[in-house]
Amino acid sequence: MASKGSTPPYPSAARIADSPCYPQYTASLKCLEEFNSDKSKCQEHFDIYKECKKKEREARLERNRNRSLFS
């Protein structure tokens, strides 16, 4: 069976690098690596990422609201 190259096995992983929140995402992962997966030491990173994703979602919903099916 041929490999699909570097395509992730699930679609969400393919899009995370395209997200405006990618720097916050990678900072969270680096923090976990640095502190041996001690989530309590990385809560600030998680909160920043969560807030970024919330703003990204709100912006997407606003764009969708402004689109018309008839334009």
Side-chain angles (χ1 to χ4, degrees):
M1 185 169 134
S3 172
K4 290 184 179 182
S6 62
T7 303
Y10 42 94
S12 61
R15 292 192 306 259
I16 189 69
D18 296 331
S19 169
C21 300
Y22 186 65
Q24 294 85 340
Y25 170 78
T26 56
S28 296
L29 293 181
K30 284 180 183 176
C31 181
L32 286 172
E33 276 182 26
E34 184 177 334
F35 291 106
N36 297 317
S37 298
D38 183 350
K39 293 179 183 175
S40 67
K41 299 221 190 282
C42 302
Q43 190 59 50
E44 185 178 350
H45 291 286
F46 299 149
D47 292 342
I48 291 169
Y49 176 63
K50 184 177 176 181
E51 187 63 26
C52 181
K53 291 300 286 183
K54 180 180 173 186
K55 288 178 182 174
E56 182 184 34
R57 183 177 62 251
E58 289 169 355
R60 185 175 61 246
L61 290 172
E62 186 63 29
R63 280 194 308 272
N64 289 344
R65 233 189 322 266
N66 291 333
R67 287 185 186 153
S68 170
L69 294 175
F70 304 104
S71 61

